[in-house]
Amino acid sequence: MAIDTHTTTTTSTMAPAPDGGSRSALPGTDGLTGRAKLVLFVLCAAQFMVALDFSVLNVALPVLGKDLGLSRSALQWAVTAFALPSGGFLLLFGRIADLYGRKKTFLVGLGLFGAASLLATLAWDPASFLAGRALQGLGAAVIVPTGMSLLTTTFPEGPLRDKAVGISGTLLSLGFTTGMVLGGVMTDTLGWRSTMGLLSVTAVIVLALAPGLLPESRTTDRPRLDVPGAITVTGGLLALIYSLSTAAQRGFGGVDVRGTLLAGLLLLVAFALVESRTPAPLVSLPMLKRRTIAWGNVGGLITFSMMSTVVFVLTLYLQETLELSSFRTGLVFGVQGIASAFAGSYAPKVIGRFGARGTLIGSLLGQGVFTAALLAVGPESGALVATLAVSVASMCHLGAIISYGLTVTSGVPDAEQGLATGLVTTTQQVGLTIGIPLLGVLATTQASLLGGVRTVLAIDAAIVVAAAVLVGVGLGTGGTKKA
């Protein structure tokens, strides 16, 4: 979509694209106009807000539990209540935005997220707080794919989109890291409710700016929504995320964990069968056969799941083995965040030189190598090694985030951008969910915590390096400048 300097742009004012969507009229230059910067600010602020919500509450959980009367075993629901809808409904809302208007859907998501954050801020008992968290997750499921599809349809493929996605990816990573540091500071000084209040205020600010800046876009044809596909994929993702989130706390021994895991897998198989037969599928199976989409998402799944595991076990190592305070541990991740921001500023140039495919493969390889470097940490010292290695690994991780998003969305018609970005963000959410229960539990169940941490890091590094090789083979050589 074009960024008009006077008014918002709709599909009716755009030149039709061959795919039936709308083609951006923005010039393919490296520079961003003043209005384009404002549009990018609004979209990135929304993504940053959601990323912040993933981590800002983590260090506040013990205090929150005492205040609201949540038992230790029930604290996981403060995280799971958000993760379930935020991951389960991504594909559905990404497609709804394609069909009924991305801007309109985005604004609804912002309003829901802001109201839910206010409810969580004012929560008077566990039920009201968990309801707020669940509605936050539902709002995030609207905001993330819709905001991403607005970004990819607003900024045309090439240098402008590379720069926009680079900035968005940087803020996504920075938001997650900032939440870990900011959550501790705000909880200690203002109380845990301030973390939720911050999200509510941010949502209001973005909602006030968005209507006058964002262009509307949607597909010109109006196929019926694939309801059976929506039910099976949403149910499958909800069951999968629930089982893996619960396994992170209690292991895979519970009947409910194994039952929901099996149910989730069966529903996803049913979803594939539904999509192969419906005339207007929620997910086009031929699209999933494209190398860039299939292997790009594999790279995204690995980079998110394995880096989330590194952060988890490194936190255990710093606080329980080296006995660093929460503040000093936060400083380590603060350095990591600064390094990621630095990498984000250079990622578009690297992608311009080596292409999104080459950058994705190289970034995965670098993430694996520097994750392996963390094996040098010891029982009494290692904070400096940990800080340097995780910072460089995170720089590579950010390169992978940006390049996999570009790999998946490049060459996709505007009419299917909501679907493509829905796949990107679903991969992101599932990746953030599965890493810790599948690997992190190894660090907490071994006799020696340090031994468990090293085991996890070794497996983690091997998986990422193997993924770099597989993604390289899967994507093929391609052009150096194109995804």
Side-chain angles (χ1 to χ4, degrees), residues 275-312:
E275 299 307 277
S276 67
R277 299 177 181 180
T278 184
L282 183 67
V283 173
S284 169
L285 295 184
M287 171 185 275
L288 293 179
K289 294 178 181 178
R290 297 180 190 174
R291 290 187 304 171
T292 52
I293 290 179
W295 288 103
N297 276 300
V298 168
L301 183 70
I302 294 299
T303 193
F304 273 108
S305 60
M306 294 301 102
M307 184 52 68
S308 67
T309 304
V310 168
V311 171
F312 174 75

PDB file of all heavy atoms in Angstrom, residues 275-312:
ATOM      1  N   GLU A 275      -7.860 -28.416   4.520  1.00  0.00           N
ATOM      2  CA  GLU A 275      -7.304 -27.433   3.592  1.00  0.00           C
ATOM      3  C   GLU A 275      -7.087 -28.007   2.204  1.00  0.00           C
ATOM      4  O   GLU A 275      -7.088 -27.265   1.210  1.00  0.00           O
ATOM      5  CB  GLU A 275      -5.981 -26.883   4.145  1.00  0.00           C
ATOM      6  CG  GLU A 275      -6.118 -26.170   5.476  1.00  0.00           C
ATOM      7  CD  GLU A 275      -7.174 -25.077   5.440  1.00  0.00           C
ATOM      8  OE1 GLU A 275      -6.872 -23.964   4.999  1.00  0.00           O
ATOM      9  OE2 GLU A 275      -8.331 -25.337   5.861  1.00  0.00           O
ATOM     10  N   SER A 276      -6.878 -29.317   2.106  1.00  0.00           N
ATOM     11  CA  SER A 276      -6.645 -29.935   0.798  1.00  0.00           C
ATOM     12  C   SER A 276      -7.926 -30.062  -0.022  1.00  0.00           C
ATOM     13  O   SER A 276      -7.870 -30.330  -1.225  1.00  0.00           O
ATOM     14  CB  SER A 276      -6.005 -31.314   0.978  1.00  0.00           C
ATOM     15  OG  SER A 276      -6.919 -32.210   1.607  1.00  0.00           O
ATOM     16  N   ARG A 277      -9.089 -29.856   0.633  1.00  0.00           N
ATOM     17  CA  ARG A 277     -10.357 -30.080  -0.045  1.00  0.00           C
ATOM     18  C   ARG A 277     -11.229 -28.838  -0.184  1.00  0.00           C
ATOM     19  O   ARG A 277     -12.164 -28.828  -0.981  1.00  0.00           O
ATOM     20  CB  ARG A 277     -11.151 -31.159   0.694  1.00  0.00           C
ATOM     21  CG  ARG A 277     -10.427 -32.501   0.738  1.00  0.00           C
ATOM     22  CD  ARG A 277     -11.183 -33.538   1.538  1.00  0.00           C
ATOM     23  NE  ARG A 277     -10.469 -34.807   1.590  1.00  0.00           N
ATOM     24  CZ  ARG A 277     -10.894 -35.888   2.226  1.00  0.00           C
ATOM     25  NH1 ARG A 277     -12.057 -35.843   2.882  1.00  0.00           N
ATOM     26  NH2 ARG A 277     -10.179 -36.986   2.225  1.00  0.00           N
ATOM     27  N   THR A 278     -10.963 -27.797   0.610  1.00  0.00           N
ATOM     28  CA  THR A 278     -11.821 -26.615   0.565  1.00  0.00           C
ATOM     29  C   THR A 278     -11.430 -25.700  -0.590  1.00  0.00           C
ATOM     30  O   THR A 278     -10.241 -25.562  -0.907  1.00  0.00           O
ATOM     31  CB  THR A 278     -11.745 -25.837   1.900  1.00  0.00           C
ATOM     32  OG1 THR A 278     -12.661 -24.750   1.868  1.00  0.00           O
ATOM     33  CG2 THR A 278     -10.343 -25.295   2.139  1.00  0.00           C
ATOM     34  N   PRO A 279     -12.406 -25.054  -1.260  1.00  0.00           N
ATOM     35  CA  PRO A 279     -12.085 -24.181  -2.392  1.00  0.00           C
ATOM     36  C   PRO A 279     -11.412 -22.869  -1.987  1.00  0.00           C
ATOM     37  O   PRO A 279     -10.716 -22.253  -2.795  1.00  0.00           O
ATOM     38  CB  PRO A 279     -13.459 -23.914  -3.021  1.00  0.00           C
ATOM     39  CG  PRO A 279     -14.444 -24.143  -1.911  1.00  0.00           C
ATOM     40  CD  PRO A 279     -13.858 -25.224  -1.066  1.00  0.00           C
ATOM     41  N   ALA A 280     -11.639 -22.412  -0.745  1.00  0.00           N
ATOM     42  CA  ALA A 280     -11.019 -21.163  -0.271  1.00  0.00           C
ATOM     43  C   ALA A 280     -10.346 -21.448   1.065  1.00  0.00           C
ATOM     44  O   ALA A 280     -10.847 -21.099   2.123  1.00  0.00           O
ATOM     45  CB  ALA A 280     -12.072 -20.070  -0.123  1.00  0.00           C
ATOM     46  N   PRO A 281      -9.179 -22.104   1.049  1.00  0.00           N
ATOM     47  CA  PRO A 281      -8.536 -22.548   2.288  1.00  0.00           C
ATOM     48  C   PRO A 281      -7.995 -21.398   3.121  1.00  0.00           C
ATOM     49  O   PRO A 281      -7.626 -20.339   2.605  1.00  0.00           O
ATOM     50  CB  PRO A 281      -7.405 -23.445   1.800  1.00  0.00           C
ATOM     51  CG  PRO A 281      -7.078 -22.923   0.436  1.00  0.00           C
ATOM     52  CD  PRO A 281      -8.390 -22.464  -0.139  1.00  0.00           C
ATOM     53  N   LEU A 282      -7.964 -21.631   4.435  1.00  0.00           N
ATOM     54  CA  LEU A 282      -7.333 -20.672   5.341  1.00  0.00           C
ATOM     55  C   LEU A 282      -5.839 -20.626   5.095  1.00  0.00           C
ATOM     56  O   LEU A 282      -5.208 -19.576   5.146  1.00  0.00           O
ATOM     57  CB  LEU A 282      -7.623 -21.078   6.793  1.00  0.00           C
ATOM     58  CG  LEU A 282      -7.111 -20.153   7.890  1.00  0.00           C
ATOM     59  CD1 LEU A 282      -7.854 -18.816   7.858  1.00  0.00           C
ATOM     60  CD2 LEU A 282      -7.276 -20.803   9.257  1.00  0.00           C
ATOM     61  N   VAL A 283      -5.249 -21.777   4.821  1.00  0.00           N
ATOM     62  CA  VAL A 283      -3.844 -21.891   4.462  1.00  0.00           C
ATOM     63  C   VAL A 283      -3.762 -22.630   3.138  1.00  0.00           C
ATOM     64  O   VAL A 283      -4.260 -23.746   3.015  1.00  0.00           O
ATOM     65  CB  VAL A 283      -3.037 -22.654   5.537  1.00  0.00           C
ATOM     66  CG1 VAL A 283      -1.622 -22.911   5.049  1.00  0.00           C
ATOM     67  CG2 VAL A 283      -3.015 -21.882   6.840  1.00  0.00           C
ATOM     68  N   SER A 284      -3.157 -21.996   2.166  1.00  0.00           N
ATOM     69  CA  SER A 284      -2.994 -22.620   0.858  1.00  0.00           C
ATOM     70  C   SER A 284      -1.858 -23.628   0.939  1.00  0.00           C
ATOM     71  O   SER A 284      -0.701 -23.264   1.156  1.00  0.00           O
ATOM     72  CB  SER A 284      -2.679 -21.542  -0.192  1.00  0.00           C
ATOM     73  OG  SER A 284      -2.275 -22.134  -1.399  1.00  0.00           O
ATOM     74  N   LEU A 285      -2.186 -24.923   0.788  1.00  0.00           N
ATOM     75  CA  LEU A 285      -1.148 -25.957   0.863  1.00  0.00           C
ATOM     76  C   LEU A 285      -0.083 -25.786  -0.223  1.00  0.00           C
ATOM     77  O   LEU A 285       1.100 -26.018   0.035  1.00  0.00           O
ATOM     78  CB  LEU A 285      -1.785 -27.347   0.795  1.00  0.00           C
ATOM     79  CG  LEU A 285      -2.687 -27.706   1.990  1.00  0.00           C
ATOM     80  CD1 LEU A 285      -3.191 -29.142   1.857  1.00  0.00           C
ATOM     81  CD2 LEU A 285      -1.960 -27.518   3.310  1.00  0.00           C
ATOM     82  N   PRO A 286      -0.475 -25.368  -1.456  1.00  0.00           N
ATOM     83  CA  PRO A 286       0.582 -25.085  -2.442  1.00  0.00           C
ATOM     84  C   PRO A 286       1.543 -23.990  -1.968  1.00  0.00           C
ATOM     85  O   PRO A 286       2.733 -24.042  -2.272  1.00  0.00           O
ATOM     86  CB  PRO A 286      -0.206 -24.633  -3.685  1.00  0.00           C
ATOM     87  CG  PRO A 286      -1.519 -25.335  -3.558  1.00  0.00           C
ATOM     88  CD  PRO A 286      -1.811 -25.338  -2.089  1.00  0.00           C
ATOM     89  N   MET A 287       1.032 -23.015  -1.197  1.00  0.00           N
ATOM     90  CA  MET A 287       1.915 -21.987  -0.663  1.00  0.00           C
ATOM     91  C   MET A 287       2.952 -22.599   0.279  1.00  0.00           C
ATOM     92  O   MET A 287       4.129 -22.232   0.266  1.00  0.00           O
ATOM     93  CB  MET A 287       1.107 -20.911   0.075  1.00  0.00           C
ATOM     94  CG  MET A 287       1.972 -19.909   0.842  1.00  0.00           C
ATOM     95  SD  MET A 287       1.043 -18.711   1.827  1.00  0.00           S
ATOM     96  CE  MET A 287       0.705 -17.488   0.576  1.00  0.00           C
ATOM     97  N   LEU A 288       2.505 -23.566   1.093  1.00  0.00           N
ATOM     98  CA  LEU A 288       3.428 -24.189   2.038  1.00  0.00           C
ATOM     99  C   LEU A 288       4.490 -25.026   1.338  1.00  0.00           C
ATOM    100  O   LEU A 288       5.503 -25.368   1.946  1.00  0.00           O
ATOM    101  CB  LEU A 288       2.640 -25.074   3.017  1.00  0.00           C
ATOM    102  CG  LEU A 288       1.706 -24.348   3.980  1.00  0.00           C
ATOM    103  CD1 LEU A 288       0.980 -25.350   4.860  1.00  0.00           C
ATOM    104  CD2 LEU A 288       2.473 -23.355   4.844  1.00  0.00           C
ATOM    105  N   LYS A 289       4.234 -25.367   0.062  1.00  0.00           N
ATOM    106  CA  LYS A 289       5.223 -26.139  -0.683  1.00  0.00           C
ATOM    107  C   LYS A 289       6.330 -25.261  -1.261  1.00  0.00           C
ATOM    108  O   LYS A 289       7.321 -25.790  -1.764  1.00  0.00           O
ATOM    109  CB  LYS A 289       4.523 -26.916  -1.804  1.00  0.00           C
ATOM    110  CG  LYS A 289       3.570 -27.993  -1.294  1.00  0.00           C
ATOM    111  CD  LYS A 289       2.872 -28.707  -2.445  1.00  0.00           C
ATOM    112  CE  LYS A 289       1.899 -29.757  -1.922  1.00  0.00           C
ATOM    113  NZ  LYS A 289       1.161 -30.439  -3.020  1.00  0.00           N
ATOM    114  N   ARG A 290       6.133 -23.948  -1.219  1.00  0.00           N
ATOM    115  CA  ARG A 290       7.194 -23.055  -1.699  1.00  0.00           C
ATOM    116  C   ARG A 290       8.407 -23.194  -0.787  1.00  0.00           C
ATOM    117  O   ARG A 290       8.285 -23.161   0.428  1.00  0.00           O
ATOM    118  CB  ARG A 290       6.726 -21.598  -1.705  1.00  0.00           C
ATOM    119  CG  ARG A 290       5.578 -21.308  -2.633  1.00  0.00           C
ATOM    120  CD  ARG A 290       5.210 -19.843  -2.550  1.00  0.00           C
ATOM    121  NE  ARG A 290       3.965 -19.541  -3.240  1.00  0.00           N
ATOM    122  CZ  ARG A 290       3.362 -18.356  -3.226  1.00  0.00           C
ATOM    123  NH1 ARG A 290       3.912 -17.360  -2.549  1.00  0.00           N
ATOM    124  NH2 ARG A 290       2.237 -18.170  -3.867  1.00  0.00           N
ATOM    125  N   ARG A 291       9.571 -23.308  -1.371  1.00  0.00           N
ATOM    126  CA  ARG A 291      10.783 -23.504  -0.574  1.00  0.00           C
ATOM    127  C   ARG A 291      11.013 -22.357   0.397  1.00  0.00           C
ATOM    128  O   ARG A 291      11.408 -22.582   1.546  1.00  0.00           O
ATOM    129  CB  ARG A 291      12.004 -23.663  -1.486  1.00  0.00           C
ATOM    130  CG  ARG A 291      12.031 -24.965  -2.269  1.00  0.00           C
ATOM    131  CD  ARG A 291      13.334 -25.132  -2.998  1.00  0.00           C
ATOM    132  NE  ARG A 291      13.632 -24.005  -3.877  1.00  0.00           N
ATOM    133  CZ  ARG A 291      14.788 -23.824  -4.499  1.00  0.00           C
ATOM    134  NH1 ARG A 291      15.769 -24.675  -4.327  1.00  0.00           N
ATOM    135  NH2 ARG A 291      14.973 -22.787  -5.300  1.00  0.00           N
ATOM    136  N   THR A 292      10.776 -21.147  -0.074  1.00  0.00           N
ATOM    137  CA  THR A 292      11.055 -19.999   0.789  1.00  0.00           C
ATOM    138  C   THR A 292      10.157 -19.989   2.016  1.00  0.00           C
ATOM    139  O   THR A 292      10.591 -19.651   3.122  1.00  0.00           O
ATOM    140  CB  THR A 292      10.867 -18.686   0.016  1.00  0.00           C
ATOM    141  OG1 THR A 292       9.573 -18.683  -0.608  1.00  0.00           O
ATOM    142  CG2 THR A 292      11.945 -18.509  -1.039  1.00  0.00           C
ATOM    143  N   ILE A 293       8.891 -20.376   1.844  1.00  0.00           N
ATOM    144  CA  ILE A 293       7.951 -20.367   2.962  1.00  0.00           C
ATOM    145  C   ILE A 293       8.208 -21.545   3.897  1.00  0.00           C
ATOM    146  O   ILE A 293       8.279 -21.394   5.118  1.00  0.00           O
ATOM    147  CB  ILE A 293       6.504 -20.362   2.444  1.00  0.00           C
ATOM    148  CG1 ILE A 293       6.202 -19.005   1.798  1.00  0.00           C
ATOM    149  CG2 ILE A 293       5.513 -20.663   3.567  1.00  0.00           C
ATOM    150  CD1 ILE A 293       4.821 -18.870   1.217  1.00  0.00           C
ATOM    151  N   ALA A 294       8.376 -22.742   3.319  1.00  0.00           N
ATOM    152  CA  ALA A 294       8.587 -23.930   4.150  1.00  0.00           C
ATOM    153  C   ALA A 294       9.898 -23.838   4.923  1.00  0.00           C
ATOM    154  O   ALA A 294       9.920 -23.948   6.161  1.00  0.00           O
ATOM    155  CB  ALA A 294       8.565 -25.182   3.270  1.00  0.00           C
ATOM    156  N   TRP A 295      10.990 -23.607   4.237  1.00  0.00           N
ATOM    157  CA  TRP A 295      12.298 -23.618   4.895  1.00  0.00           C
ATOM    158  C   TRP A 295      12.562 -22.327   5.658  1.00  0.00           C
ATOM    159  O   TRP A 295      13.291 -22.338   6.663  1.00  0.00           O
ATOM    160  CB  TRP A 295      13.395 -23.899   3.880  1.00  0.00           C
ATOM    161  CG  TRP A 295      13.374 -25.323   3.430  1.00  0.00           C
ATOM    162  CD1 TRP A 295      12.896 -25.822   2.250  1.00  0.00           C
ATOM    163  CD2 TRP A 295      13.802 -26.453   4.186  1.00  0.00           C
ATOM    164  NE1 TRP A 295      13.009 -27.184   2.216  1.00  0.00           N
ATOM    165  CE2 TRP A 295      13.563 -27.609   3.394  1.00  0.00           C
ATOM    166  CE3 TRP A 295      14.364 -26.605   5.457  1.00  0.00           C
ATOM    167  CZ2 TRP A 295      13.876 -28.885   3.831  1.00  0.00           C
ATOM    168  CZ3 TRP A 295      14.673 -27.887   5.897  1.00  0.00           C
ATOM    169  CH2 TRP A 295      14.428 -29.013   5.088  1.00  0.00           C
ATOM    170  N   GLY A 296      11.963 -21.224   5.203  1.00  0.00           N
ATOM    171  CA  GLY A 296      12.099 -19.988   5.971  1.00  0.00           C
ATOM    172  C   GLY A 296      11.477 -20.132   7.348  1.00  0.00           C
ATOM    173  O   GLY A 296      12.047 -19.725   8.359  1.00  0.00           O
ATOM    174  N   ASN A 297      10.299 -20.759   7.408  1.00  0.00           N
ATOM    175  CA  ASN A 297       9.645 -20.965   8.700  1.00  0.00           C
ATOM    176  C   ASN A 297      10.379 -21.986   9.561  1.00  0.00           C
ATOM    177  O   ASN A 297      10.363 -21.888  10.790  1.00  0.00           O
ATOM    178  CB  ASN A 297       8.189 -21.384   8.489  1.00  0.00           C
ATOM    179  CG  ASN A 297       7.276 -20.191   8.278  1.00  0.00           C
ATOM    180  OD1 ASN A 297       7.165 -19.312   9.131  1.00  0.00           O
ATOM    181  ND2 ASN A 297       6.629 -20.132   7.127  1.00  0.00           N
ATOM    182  N   VAL A 298      11.014 -22.979   8.945  1.00  0.00           N
ATOM    183  CA  VAL A 298      11.853 -23.905   9.727  1.00  0.00           C
ATOM    184  C   VAL A 298      12.977 -23.132  10.407  1.00  0.00           C
ATOM    185  O   VAL A 298      13.253 -23.321  11.602  1.00  0.00           O
ATOM    186  CB  VAL A 298      12.428 -25.015   8.821  1.00  0.00           C
ATOM    187  CG1 VAL A 298      13.522 -25.792   9.563  1.00  0.00           C
ATOM    188  CG2 VAL A 298      11.331 -25.962   8.377  1.00  0.00           C
ATOM    189  N   GLY A 299      13.620 -22.243   9.657  1.00  0.00           N
ATOM    190  CA  GLY A 299      14.674 -21.423  10.249  1.00  0.00           C
ATOM    191  C   GLY A 299      14.155 -20.548  11.370  1.00  0.00           C
ATOM    192  O   GLY A 299      14.792 -20.408  12.417  1.00  0.00           O
ATOM    193  N   GLY A 300      12.965 -19.964  11.180  1.00  0.00           N
ATOM    194  CA  GLY A 300      12.374 -19.130  12.222  1.00  0.00           C
ATOM    195  C   GLY A 300      12.033 -19.925  13.459  1.00  0.00           C
ATOM    196  O   GLY A 300      12.273 -19.478  14.589  1.00  0.00           O
ATOM    197  N   LEU A 301      11.468 -21.114  13.274  1.00  0.00           N
ATOM    198  CA  LEU A 301      11.115 -21.963  14.419  1.00  0.00           C
ATOM    199  C   LEU A 301      12.348 -22.320  15.240  1.00  0.00           C
ATOM    200  O   LEU A 301      12.333 -22.252  16.471  1.00  0.00           O
ATOM    201  CB  LEU A 301      10.432 -23.239  13.919  1.00  0.00           C
ATOM    202  CG  LEU A 301       9.948 -24.204  14.993  1.00  0.00           C
ATOM    203  CD1 LEU A 301       8.753 -23.622  15.734  1.00  0.00           C
ATOM    204  CD2 LEU A 301       9.579 -25.559  14.372  1.00  0.00           C
ATOM    205  N   ILE A 302      13.428 -22.662  14.564  1.00  0.00           N
ATOM    206  CA  ILE A 302      14.658 -23.051  15.275  1.00  0.00           C
ATOM    207  C   ILE A 302      15.275 -21.864  15.988  1.00  0.00           C
ATOM    208  O   ILE A 302      15.685 -21.964  17.158  1.00  0.00           O
ATOM    209  CB  ILE A 302      15.660 -23.675  14.285  1.00  0.00           C
ATOM    210  CG1 ILE A 302      15.119 -24.994  13.724  1.00  0.00           C
ATOM    211  CG2 ILE A 302      17.011 -23.897  14.964  1.00  0.00           C
ATOM    212  CD1 ILE A 302      14.860 -26.051  14.762  1.00  0.00           C
ATOM    213  N   THR A 303      15.363 -20.711  15.322  1.00  0.00           N
ATOM    214  CA  THR A 303      16.047 -19.584  15.962  1.00  0.00           C
ATOM    215  C   THR A 303      15.298 -19.103  17.193  1.00  0.00           C
ATOM    216  O   THR A 303      15.903 -18.793  18.222  1.00  0.00           O
ATOM    217  CB  THR A 303      16.274 -18.428  14.963  1.00  0.00           C
ATOM    218  OG1 THR A 303      17.209 -17.498  15.539  1.00  0.00           O
ATOM    219  CG2 THR A 303      14.994 -17.681  14.611  1.00  0.00           C
ATOM    220  N   PHE A 304      13.963 -19.080  17.153  1.00  0.00           N
ATOM    221  CA  PHE A 304      13.195 -18.639  18.318  1.00  0.00           C
ATOM    222  C   PHE A 304      13.237 -19.665  19.445  1.00  0.00           C
ATOM    223  O   PHE A 304      13.463 -19.317  20.607  1.00  0.00           O
ATOM    224  CB  PHE A 304      11.740 -18.353  17.927  1.00  0.00           C
ATOM    225  CG  PHE A 304      11.500 -16.963  17.432  1.00  0.00           C
ATOM    226  CD1 PHE A 304      11.246 -16.722  16.093  1.00  0.00           C
ATOM    227  CD2 PHE A 304      11.538 -15.882  18.301  1.00  0.00           C
ATOM    228  CE1 PHE A 304      11.030 -15.433  15.622  1.00  0.00           C
ATOM    229  CE2 PHE A 304      11.322 -14.587  17.851  1.00  0.00           C
ATOM    230  CZ  PHE A 304      11.069 -14.366  16.510  1.00  0.00           C
ATOM    231  N   SER A 305      12.995 -20.931  19.123  1.00  0.00           N
ATOM    232  CA  SER A 305      12.934 -21.942  20.176  1.00  0.00           C
ATOM    233  C   SER A 305      14.279 -22.124  20.866  1.00  0.00           C
ATOM    234  O   SER A 305      14.355 -22.242  22.096  1.00  0.00           O
ATOM    235  CB  SER A 305      12.442 -23.276  19.599  1.00  0.00           C
ATOM    236  OG  SER A 305      13.308 -23.745  18.592  1.00  0.00           O
ATOM    237  N   MET A 306      15.354 -22.134  20.090  1.00  0.00           N
ATOM    238  CA  MET A 306      16.668 -22.376  20.688  1.00  0.00           C
ATOM    239  C   MET A 306      17.198 -21.158  21.455  1.00  0.00           C
ATOM    240  O   MET A 306      17.850 -21.305  22.483  1.00  0.00           O
ATOM    241  CB  MET A 306      17.661 -22.804  19.609  1.00  0.00           C
ATOM    242  CG  MET A 306      17.332 -24.160  18.989  1.00  0.00           C
ATOM    243  SD  MET A 306      17.290 -25.547  20.160  1.00  0.00           S
ATOM    244  CE  MET A 306      15.511 -25.767  20.389  1.00  0.00           C
ATOM    245  N   MET A 307      16.908 -19.943  20.987  1.00  0.00           N
ATOM    246  CA  MET A 307      17.379 -18.774  21.730  1.00  0.00           C
ATOM    247  C   MET A 307      16.586 -18.579  23.010  1.00  0.00           C
ATOM    248  O   MET A 307      17.140 -18.162  24.039  1.00  0.00           O
ATOM    249  CB  MET A 307      17.325 -17.518  20.858  1.00  0.00           C
ATOM    250  CG  MET A 307      17.887 -16.265  21.548  1.00  0.00           C
ATOM    251  SD  MET A 307      19.553 -16.459  22.258  1.00  0.00           S
ATOM    252  CE  MET A 307      20.546 -16.628  20.773  1.00  0.00           C
ATOM    253  N   SER A 308      15.287 -18.884  23.006  1.00  0.00           N
ATOM    254  CA  SER A 308      14.509 -18.785  24.239  1.00  0.00           C
ATOM    255  C   SER A 308      15.046 -19.765  25.274  1.00  0.00           C
ATOM    256  O   SER A 308      15.076 -19.477  26.474  1.00  0.00           O
ATOM    257  CB  SER A 308      13.026 -19.037  23.971  1.00  0.00           C
ATOM    258  OG  SER A 308      12.788 -20.375  23.571  1.00  0.00           O
ATOM    259  N   THR A 309      15.498 -20.928  24.830  1.00  0.00           N
ATOM    260  CA  THR A 309      16.087 -21.916  25.735  1.00  0.00           C
ATOM    261  C   THR A 309      17.395 -21.412  26.311  1.00  0.00           C
ATOM    262  O   THR A 309      17.678 -21.584  27.505  1.00  0.00           O
ATOM    263  CB  THR A 309      16.319 -23.241  24.985  1.00  0.00           C
ATOM    264  OG1 THR A 309      15.088 -23.684  24.428  1.00  0.00           O
ATOM    265  CG2 THR A 309      16.856 -24.307  25.921  1.00  0.00           C
ATOM    266  N   VAL A 310      18.223 -20.779  25.475  1.00  0.00           N
ATOM    267  CA  VAL A 310      19.498 -20.214  25.953  1.00  0.00           C
ATOM    268  C   VAL A 310      19.248 -19.190  27.051  1.00  0.00           C
ATOM    269  O   VAL A 310      19.910 -19.196  28.095  1.00  0.00           O
ATOM    270  CB  VAL A 310      20.279 -19.579  24.781  1.00  0.00           C
ATOM    271  CG1 VAL A 310      21.449 -18.743  25.312  1.00  0.00           C
ATOM    272  CG2 VAL A 310      20.798 -20.651  23.844  1.00  0.00           C
ATOM    273  N   VAL A 311      18.292 -18.296  26.831  1.00  0.00           N
ATOM    274  CA  VAL A 311      17.991 -17.261  27.830  1.00  0.00           C
ATOM    275  C   VAL A 311      17.523 -17.899  29.138  1.00  0.00           C
ATOM    276  O   VAL A 311      17.929 -17.490  30.230  1.00  0.00           O
ATOM    277  CB  VAL A 311      16.932 -16.281  27.289  1.00  0.00           C
ATOM    278  CG1 VAL A 311      16.447 -15.340  28.388  1.00  0.00           C
ATOM    279  CG2 VAL A 311      17.503 -15.480  26.119  1.00  0.00           C
ATOM    280  N   PHE A 312      16.692 -18.933  29.036  1.00  0.00           N
ATOM    281  CA  PHE A 312      16.176 -19.614  30.227  1.00  0.00           C
ATOM    282  C   PHE A 312      17.306 -20.247  31.040  1.00  0.00           C
ATOM    283  O   PHE A 312      17.427 -20.010  32.246  1.00  0.00           O
ATOM    284  CB  PHE A 312      15.162 -20.674  29.798  1.00  0.00           C
ATOM    285  CG  PHE A 312      14.661 -21.534  30.925  1.00  0.00           C
ATOM    286  CD1 PHE A 312      13.760 -21.047  31.843  1.00  0.00           C
ATOM    287  CD2 PHE A 312      15.109 -22.837  31.066  1.00  0.00           C
ATOM    288  CE1 PHE A 312      13.291 -21.838  32.891  1.00  0.00           C
ATOM    289  CE2 PHE A 312      14.655 -23.646  32.095  1.00  0.00           C
ATOM    290  CZ  PHE A 312      13.743 -23.140  33.009  1.00  0.00           C
TER     291      PHE A 312
END
